[in-house]
Amino acid sequence: MIDLKNVKKIYHTGGEELIALNDVSLQIKKGEFTSIMGPSGSGKSTMMNILGLLDRFDEGSYILNGQNVSSLTDNESAHVRNKEIGFVFQSFNLMPRMSILENVELPMVYAKVSAKERHERAMIALEKVGLANRVKHKPNEISGGQKQRVAIARAIVNQPAVLMADEPTGNLDSKTTLEIMKIFQDLNADGTTVVMVTHEPDVAQYTKRIVSFKDGRLMDDQLVENP
Amino acid sequence: MIDLKNVKKIYHTGGEELIALNDVSLQIKKGEFTSIMGPSGSGKSTMMNILGLLDRFDEGSYILNGQNVSSLTDNESAHVRNKEIGFVFQSFNLMPRMSILENVELPMVYAKVSAKERHERAMIALEKVGLANRVKHKPNEISGGQKQRVAIARAIVNQPAVLMADEPTGNLDSKTTLEIMKIFQDLNADGTTVVMVTHEPDVAQYTKRIVSFKDGRLMDDQLVENP
Ligand SMILES: Nc1ncnc2c1ncn2[C@@H]1O[C@H](COP(=O)(O)OP(=O)(O)OP(=O)(O)O)[C@@H](O)[C@H]1O
Ligand SMILES: Nc1ncnc2c1ncn2[C@@H]1O[C@H](COP(=O)(O)OP(=O)(O)OP(=O)(O)O)[C@@H](O)[C@H]1O
Ligand SMILES: [Mg+2]
Ligand SMILES: [Mg+2]
């Protein structure tokens, strides 16, 4: 499903060069449930942005679901993203002027789904994350954890081939964390490939494989025993 | 230091009323180190915004460091906040167009500190959080955890009477979490009152007292054994 080879990503800031990803190779098969761990600044979000076709890289190649996506145009990336990838960002990225319901419907608008079907599927997703009673609210009228749950609902609503999540349980209490990890496990059991960043070992234990980053390199790769 | 009595906060959204804080009374003495826990949506950030004079409440009273702050004007709140309170938000709230260094200097600009002293004190704070090598970067050029560390540096730079932090270690790996909690413990040992929201029991163990919210009410209040 995901075949990354020798990927290098360099940031140029104020005359300095920072190698954010250094010769990273990673294969994730269809149906896997992989977590990405590593210290602050080790390259996890950079990796997720590249996997999610939100950012380009300087060297290497990326094949997603059989298609070479190493150098797509912006339009082509947007099209593949909408069709194949559900993305939960580290900083929510909800549209502040739209209601919760409209935010969750957004990926389906791009995919030209009918208004009636959008509404139904958005409500199902919001019920899954426990927020069906907040549909008329705006993002600045809900708590941090609630924003994150809206972001998750939005990411699953187009039934993506791959669900990518950067710290999806970062702002959630333990009870909600369990509920969200169960949703991810159910999606995975249905065939969705799931890749998530987490810095909490307890959360990684709900996944099936843990890859660890350090200073922009992939340093470790382990299966989880009894996920 | 903090004396909150019978505080009630109601949000009115689209015709509905939500009691976000319901008859909350809380006393925090000078020099305490208190963590606030509770499920997603239970009122923790609402509580922190009121404690930090960033938001008003509908009933009750709030005395901060001997001063009745229940109904200050916006200018008066800004003045008390800048002088007495260091605040770390749940969503960083850094100025996107300023450099890291300028962001950390900002509270001192308001307090009319000289440019030379601002620079020195900002560098000391950034070294404490391990980011002295990122001073020229902008917020969108650093990782999630790095943003949070900049926010912490900014909160401590005016040597506030009370340091308030909403999920300060939320996006940080375990090593950085320990470093940040040690900074908070050092500040507390020097006499700073610290109040922080966390959803992680391990992190709350570094504090001295845990108050728990549920559905907008204070439900529990325990000292930590052997912090
Ligand atoms: N500006 C607002 N307008 C309307 N309702 C709000 C607003 N801010 C918060 N709320 C509601 O008030 C309740 C408490 O929110 P709060 O942000 O204090 O929760 P929290 O304990 O910080 O949650 P989390 O752990 O998810 O960050 C929630 O039900 C939320 O939807
Ligand atoms: N837009 C950018 N411009 C310049 N440097 C960047 C940019 N984004 C990230 N970096 C740098 O690249 C490195 C990796 O950042 P990244 O956001 O991938 O880390 P991370 O593992 O997600 O960290 P965290 O756990 O703190 O979120 C960091 O040193 C960061 O400062
Ligand atoms: Mg990150
Ligand atoms: Mg909150």
Side-chain angles (χ1 to χ4, degrees):
Chain A
M1 171 61 70
I2 286 175
D3 193 352
L4 217 60
K5 281 196 167 61
N6 308 108
V7 163
K8 190 172 192 177
K9 169 80 183 174
I10 306 171
Y11 285 118
H12 308 271
T13 322
E16 289 177 19
E17 238 188 41
L18 180 97
I19 303 179
L21 293 178
N22 201 344
D23 196 22
V24 175
S25 296
L26 178 63
Q27 269 197 7
I28 300 179
K29 297 186 173 51
K30 184 168 179 357
E32 277 194 41
F33 192 174
T34 301
S35 43
I36 295 180
M37 303 196 75
S40 181
S42 57
K44 307 179 297 295
S45 294
T46 303
M47 173 89 281
M48 295 301 280
N49 288 339
I50 283 169
L51 288 179
L53 298 181
L54 294 160
D55 206 0
R56 294 195 165 78
F57 46 92
D58 301 288
E59 294 177 22
S61 63
Y62 177 17
I63 299 180
L64 172 68
N65 213 4
Q67 179 182 1
N68 188 334
V69 293
S70 312
S71 39
L72 299 180
T73 64
D74 285 355
N75 274 340
E76 289 167 336
S77 305
H79 185 71
V80 175
R81 266 203 317 270
N82 182 264
K83 188 161 167 295
E84 307 273 25
I85 301 172
F87 207 108
V88 179
F89 297 85
Q90 191 168 6
S91 51
F92 319 136
N93 285 19
L94 301 177
M95 306 293 283
R97 306 244 173 94
M98 295 179 165
S99 72
I100 301 302
L101 185 69
E102 288 165 332
N103 264 284
V104 175
E105 289 189 3
L106 212 45
M108 293 183 282
V109 173
Y110 187 96
K112 300 194 171 43
V113 173
S114 77
K116 180 166 181 294
E117 184 179 346
R118 285 204 309 264
H119 186 93
E120 287 173 6
R121 284 166 52 181
M123 287 307 297
I124 290 173
L126 281 164
E127 280 180 36
K128 280 196 180 152
V129 303
L131 283 176
N133 60 351
R134 285 277 188 282
V135 296
K136 288 271 178 293
H137 283 56
K138 299 266 187 319
N140 70 345
E141 295 169 348
I142 57 176
S143 73
Q146 289 167 341
K147 288 191 201 37
Q148 212 147 11
R149 285 186 268 156
V150 173
I152 291 164
R154 180 181 62 180
I156 64 178
V157 82
N158 247 357
Q159 291 139 1
V162 189
L163 176 59
M164 300 186 184
D166 195 340
E167 299 279 358
T169 62
N171 282 332
L172 304 177
D173 59 85
S174 35
K175 172 163 170 291
T176 325
T177 292
L178 285 179
E179 291 169 1
I180 293 300
M181 290 314 291
K182 177 131 193 349
I183 294 171
F184 285 178
Q185 286 178 330
D186 290 346
L187 290 166
N188 182 241
D190 284 345
T192 306
T193 308
V194 182
V195 187
M196 59 177 276
V197 171
T198 180
H199 70 266
E200 292 179 61
D202 293 354
V203 170
Q205 287 302 309
Y206 286 97
T207 70
K208 297 181 184 166
R209 172 187 176 198
I210 301 173
V211 299
S212 304
F213 275 80
K214 188 167 163 19
D215 297 327
R217 289 181 186 277
L218 210 63
M219 296 302 269
D220 197 28
D221 194 341
Q222 307 270 351
L223 289 180
V224 174
E225 311 198 352
N226 307 321
Chain B
M1 173 58 72
I2 285 173
D3 192 353
L4 217 59
K5 281 193 165 64
N6 308 110
V7 163
K8 191 171 191 178
K9 169 79 184 178
I10 306 172
Y11 285 119
H12 308 271
T13 323
E16 290 178 20
E17 240 187 39
L18 181 99
I19 303 178
L21 292 177
N22 202 345
D23 195 23
V24 174
S25 297
L26 178 64
Q27 271 195 5
I28 299 180
K29 296 187 173 51
K30 184 168 179 355
E32 278 196 39
F33 192 174
T34 301
S35 45
I36 295 179
M37 303 197 74
S40 180
S42 56
K44 307 180 297 294
S45 294
T46 302
M47 172 90 280
M48 294 302 280
N49 288 339
I50 282 168
L51 289 179
L53 299 180
L54 295 159
D55 207 1
R56 295 197 165 77
F57 45 94
D58 301 290
E59 294 176 21
S61 63
Y62 177 17
I63 299 180
L64 172 69
N65 213 3
Q67 178 183 2
N68 188 335
V69 294
S70 311
S71 38
L72 298 179
T73 64
D74 284 353
N75 273 342
E76 289 166 336
S77 305
H79 185 71
V80 176
R81 265 201 319 270
N82 182 262
K83 188 161 165 298
E84 307 273 26
I85 302 172
F87 207 109
V88 178
F89 296 85
Q90 192 169 6
S91 49
F92 320 134
N93 286 18
L94 300 176
M95 305 294 284
R97 305 244 173 96
M98 295 180 166
S99 71
I100 300 302
L101 186 68
E102 290 165 334
N103 264 283
V104 176
E105 289 189 4
L106 212 45
M108 293 183 282
V109 173
Y110 188 95
K112 301 197 171 36
V113 174
S114 76
K116 181 168 180 293
E117 186 179 346
R118 285 203 312 264
H119 185 94
E120 288 173 6
R121 284 166 52 181
M123 288 307 297
I124 291 172
L126 282 163
E127 280 180 37
K128 280 195 181 154
V129 301
L131 282 176
N133 59 352
R134 285 277 188 282
V135 296
K136 290 268 177 295
H137 283 56
K138 299 264 187 318
N140 69 346
E141 294 168 348
I142 56 176
S143 74
Q146 288 167 340
K147 288 193 202 33
Q148 212 145 15
R149 285 186 269 156
V150 174
I152 291 165
R154 180 182 62 179
I156 64 178
V157 83
N158 247 356
Q159 289 139 3
V162 190
L163 176 59
M164 302 188 183
D166 195 341
E167 298 279 359
T169 62
N171 282 332
L172 304 176
D173 58 87
S174 34
K175 173 163 169 286
T176 324
T177 292
L178 285 179
E179 292 169 0
I180 292 301
M181 289 314 291
K182 176 129 194 346
I183 294 171
F184 285 178
Q185 285 178 330
D186 290 347
L187 289 167
N188 182 240
D190 283 347
T192 307
T193 308
V194 183
V195 188
M196 59 177 275
V197 170
T198 180
H199 70 267
E200 291 180 63
D202 293 354
V203 170
Q205 287 301 307
Y206 286 98
T207 70
K208 297 180 184 168
R209 171 186 176 198
I210 301 174
V211 298
S212 303
F213 275 80
K214 188 165 161 27
D215 298 328
R217 289 182 186 274
L218 211 62
M219 296 302 269
D220 198 26
D221 195 341
Q222 307 270 350
L223 291 179
V224 174
E225 313 199 351
N226 307 320

